[in-house]
Amino acid sequence: MKICRTVEETRAAVAALRTAGQRIGFVPTMGALHAGHMSLVSLAKTASEATVASIFVNPTQFGQAADLQSYPRDEARDLAMLQEAGVEIVFLPEVTTIYPPGHETIVETTHLANILHGKIRPGHFRGVTSVVTRLFNIVQPDVAVFGEKDYQQLQVIKRMVADLHMPVEILGGPICREADGLAMSSRNLRLTAEDRAAAVVLSQALQAAEDLAKTGTTVEAIRDVIANTIATEPRATLQGLDTVTADTLDNLHGPLTTPLAVMLSVQFSDILLIDQKVIQP
Ligand code: AMP
């Protein structure tokens, strides 16, 4: 596995693989890797012949400096996991490599970035699209994989790639879950034992919604079953519940006739957990 820290090294390493006729798959991450990230690496490996992963904690997508400072970092462990998974190249840039001195160019999806989660975290998706554009320009992958867990992020990136004619195929990777159904996240480790046990309520609420949809239902009834399930857990506070079209993320109402993306965020003490499910009519 080749470890690259500069644009030039990365371009040269990717070019060598490309000359050998290999299709390049790319998995961007912020490190603190877990099985969810590794499932994206597996997906990239099935969709390409050589895999590049990046580890970069992107400052422009954090609202508060404290969150950026406290973001977990363990480079040695991350590299061991990527090596074990058979990744060919890891790109580990410094902030000034990605954002050169005097940089002033941003990339933004004007609507999708500023609804739902984007309303709560102003500037977050602009930071994501600005960094992903730079990473794509450096790595120049044929295919890139993003998790469906960050559902709005995936739709924002698909929109950006279509709008800017970026020559990369975007794949969404299914959410990787713990045995009890909790979506894997580096934040799970910060939960107390009691909150960790209670956090199963997110996936239970989404499952209850899917079960209800099998019998034919309305968006309002789905919202009720989710809110009521979360309310059964005293440690959980419902922070966000969005029920939207699967691609354009417009709010849906009334009888369920098209695929419905349910985006859920629930607070446990000071930790916000997210989960989502696309429910078929
Ligand atoms: P992050 O390092 O948090 O920026 O995440 C890197 C990528 O991993 C993103 O595309 C996430 O959506 C994805 N990801 C995070 N958690 C999971 C999970 N539990 N299952 C699948 N993908 C995930």
Side-chain angles (χ1 to χ4, degrees):
M1 184 172 77
K2 197 162 173 48
I3 297 169
C4 301
R5 295 186 189 267
T6 67
V7 173
E8 294 71 25
E9 278 177 300
T10 309
R11 287 220 171 114
V14 172
L17 294 173
R18 207 183 280 292
T19 311
Q22 303 197 337
R23 206 170 122 88
I24 311 295
F26 180 42
V27 182
T29 81
M30 298 206 299
L33 301 180
H34 52 65
H37 298 109
M38 302 323 287
S39 72
L40 303 186
V41 170
S42 300
L43 187 56
K45 287 177 78 76
T46 60
S48 64
E49 280 107 33
T51 308
V52 182
S54 62
I55 300 175
F56 179 64
V57 182
N58 175 35
T60 66
Q61 71 188 70
F62 285 83
Q64 295 182 352
D67 289 346
L68 174 62
Q69 300 281 303
S70 66
Y71 199 84
R73 294 163 209 246
D74 191 344
E75 191 178 299
R77 183 173 170 276
D78 289 346
L79 289 175
M81 287 172 78
L82 294 171
Q83 167 114 45
E84 168 78 21
V87 165
E88 274 77 5
I89 299 171
V90 184
F91 180 39
L92 277 163
E94 295 291 333
V95 172
T96 50
T97 301
I98 294 296
Y99 298 105
H103 73 93
E104 55 175 282
T105 306
I106 57 170
V107 180
E108 182 170 23
T109 56
T110 51
H111 172 64
L112 278 182
N114 296 307
I115 57 172
L116 312 175
H117 248 73
K119 258 197 201 152
I120 303 162
R121 299 180 68 184
H124 170 72
F125 290 113
R126 181 174 57 217
V128 170
T129 42
S130 293
V131 76
V132 170
T133 299
R134 286 163 171 80
L135 292 169
F136 281 179
N137 281 335
I138 295 165
V139 175
Q140 300 186 353
D142 298 289
V143 49
V145 186
F146 294 84
E148 287 174 357
K149 174 155 181 282
D150 298 287
Y151 193 75
Q152 187 170 357
Q153 169 173 285
L154 176 60
Q155 303 315 318
V156 163
I157 287 166
K158 283 183 175 171
R159 186 73 256 164
M160 172 188 81
V161 163
D163 288 352
L164 299 183
H165 307 284
M166 293 181 172
V168 53
E169 181 190 348
I170 303 300
L171 292 182
I175 299 179
C176 196
R177 297 178 181 282
E178 303 286 356
D180 67 354
L182 177 64
M184 287 188 184
S185 165
S186 56
R187 293 181 181 193
N188 297 351
L189 295 172
R190 291 166 50 205
L191 294 167
T192 64
E194 293 79 11
D195 285 344
R196 168 65 191 84
V200 68
V201 76
L202 277 91
S203 58
Q204 284 173 342
L206 292 173
Q207 190 56 52
E210 188 164 58
D211 293 345
L212 183 67
K214 285 186 188 130
T215 60
T217 188
T218 62
V219 174
E220 289 71 19
I222 284 180
R223 294 181 65 87
D224 284 347
V225 78
I226 291 173
N228 292 339
T229 308
I230 301 296
T232 61
E233 175 46 69
R235 308 188 79 86
T237 308
L238 181 60
Q239 287 291 1
L241 172 57
D242 295 303
T243 38
V244 295
T245 54
D247 47 4
T248 50
L249 309 183
D250 297 317
N251 284 314
L252 275 173
H253 307 279
L256 187 63
T257 53
T258 53
L260 174 75
V262 180
M263 294 158 52
L264 179 60
S265 46
V266 178
Q267 186 93 24
F268 294 85
S269 310
D270 61 337
I271 313 280
L272 186 69
L273 298 182
I274 63 167
D275 201 347
Q276 71 81 24
K277 196 180 261 289
V278 177
I279 293 176
Q280 301 300 327

